[in-house]
Amino acid sequence: MLKTAIHKIYLTLMATVVRFMPPDVFTLFAGESSSKQLARHIANHGSRRLLIVSDKPLVDLGLITPIVEECKGLGIECQVFDGVLPDPTFNIVDDGLEVFKSHNADAVLAIGGGSSIDTGKTIASAATNGFEPRKLAGYFKVKIPPIPLYAIPTTSGTGSEVTKGAVIADSDTHLKAYVADPKMVPLAVALDPGLLTGMPPAITAATGMDALTHAIEAYISVWCNPRCERYALSAIKMIFAQLPTAYSEGSNIAAREQLSLAACYAGLAINDTNIGNVHALAHQLGRVYSTPHGLANAIVLPYVLETMIDACGPRLASLARELSFSDSRDDNEAAKVFISKVVELNSILNIPTGLDKLARSDFGDIAKAATKEGSLLPVPRLMNKSEFDSVLERCLLPS
Ligand SMILES: [Fe+2]
């Protein structure tokens, strides 16, 4: 009771802060060759020395080359920093900042998955705030707007191209820090499906389920407002409709385009709310077992929704009706149909029902940390340690 009351007071205070945050304003280019449109936009805005932030595999695949060539043709000198690794650390941001300084860059273009975009956002923010990225960890620490910042995502999942923050890990402890400020939303974004067709099926599945989790957690959040609801609902509809196609036919441009828009909408939805108990648990699985983020979300999503069905049942029922999964007037019944559709989608995408690395001896640590993280989020209701334990029990695979 006391925990619930404290949680309600905390959410009321935070909701007041969120209400006064400026709206997301950015330019969106979507469709084939939209990355070239973005290059023209960057040139028109006067940038002449661009730092491109990406990772080595993408550079080696030659994905960056056409964009660099386009920029060169427009009179923009590009320098590529390809040192981004998964779960980027502040040391990687430091390395990127050194390249930024030596190139005397006047803008940053992040090309890649969430790791590259988060690194690009932090480099651009540190460039105008004393070149001290560690001092940006936390909320609202980006006092001066970042150097002009642009993004081209090459996965359809994190929504980092439109979200108000970045996740950067401490270089020694590898504990993740949030660098969160509305000023970090890129000025312009290109969703170019031509860059997505080479994504392997397993990554398409995991990143797509990450986007679905963002949209569902936003839709059931106690902070969900009409704008968030529209973005979340659109994203959920598009992901259910297009993810199986993108998974089985990677080169299907139409499916790729719809999914990249869906991930973007899901990112906009969580800008108004936040993530929830699914992410609170998935983060711990990533921390303890290095389970890829989207995969961890996909596995625990149906179990966590079932656990909270007493609190989010009517919202899940509303989704079931909006997606024509159920016309039942019974919320509980319709909510269960929606959850069964999530399970069915996981099955189509060959996502396992549990984790082979999961050990009962870790349950205490994982459940405790998930409870703590969930207590800071606008969730439909708090989940306690024994509820997270029960979810973990369901994630054990038969040996
Ligand atoms: Fe996520």
Side-chain angles (χ1 to χ4, degrees), residues 210 214 279 293 297:
D210 183 30
H214 294 156
H279 272 79
H293 177 69
N297 274 327

Side-chain angles (χ1 to χ4, degrees), residues 114-373:
S115 297
S116 289
I117 297 176
D118 281 2
T119 304
K121 283 169 156 179
T122 312
I123 290 171
S125 302
T128 51
N129 288 274
F131 290 94
E132 294 186 271
R134 288 161 191 78
K135 288 194 175 173
L136 301 177
Y139 291 88
F140 312 117
K141 302 279 182 68
V142 181
K143 293 189 175 69
I144 300 167
I147 204 94
L149 168 67
Y150 308 94
I152 303 177
T154 58
T155 61
S156 301
T158 67
S160 177
E161 65 274 15
V162 293
T163 57
K164 295 171 179 171
V167 181
I168 304 292
D170 182 279
S171 307
D172 299 320
T173 64
H174 288 270
L175 285 175
K176 290 180 179 176
Y178 290 98
V179 180
D181 195 297
K183 299 182 201 75
M184 294 175 80
V185 176
L187 292 179
V189 172
L191 304 178
D192 189 337
L195 301 178
L196 302 168
T197 53
M199 206 193 314
I203 296 179
T204 300
T207 50
M209 289 305 290
D210 183 30
L212 181 67
T213 308
H214 294 156
I216 294 174
E217 295 213 287
Y219 193 87
I220 64 176
S221 164
V222 294
W223 284 354
C224 188
N225 59 42
R227 178 176 67 171
C228 159
E229 184 169 295
R230 290 211 175 188
Y231 280 134
L233 184 56
S234 300
I236 294 166
K237 283 182 176 173
M238 291 158 83
I239 292 167
F240 269 101
Q242 302 296 337
L243 184 52
T245 307
Y247 176 73
S248 60
E249 298 170 39
S251 58
N252 187 314
I253 288 283
R256 290 291 189 190
E257 186 175 330
Q258 288 290 296
L259 266 190
S260 63
L261 270 173
C264 181
Y265 292 166
L268 290 167
I270 53 170
N271 269 349
D272 276 351
T273 54
N274 205 329
I275 47 177
N277 282 322
V278 180
H279 272 79
L281 182 53
H283 284 158
Q284 313 318 318
L285 298 176
R287 172 178 61 86
V288 177
Y289 304 115
S290 302
T291 309
H293 177 69
L295 179 65
N297 274 327
I299 293 170
V300 304
L301 176 61
Y303 306 142
V304 171
L305 293 180
E306 274 175 20
T307 306
M308 296 191 297
I309 200 165
D310 57 304
C312 63
R315 295 296 282 165
L316 297 181
S318 157
L319 285 176
R321 294 178 193 119
E322 287 280 0
L323 275 84
S324 302
F325 289 161
S326 171
D327 56 8
S328 171
R329 288 186 177 184
D330 182 317
D331 279 353
N332 202 46
E333 194 180 309
K336 283 181 178 170
V337 172
F338 181 78
I339 295 169
S340 75
K341 291 289 183 182
V342 173
V343 173
E344 193 179 304
L345 183 57
N346 271 347
S347 168
I348 292 168
L349 303 173
N350 290 308
I351 285 171
T353 54
L355 277 113
D356 50 6
K357 292 181 190 167
L358 188 61
R360 261 201 195 89
S361 53
D362 296 325
F363 281 17
D365 165 44
I366 295 172
K368 187 178 170 195
T371 309
K372 188 178 172 193
E373 184 171 335

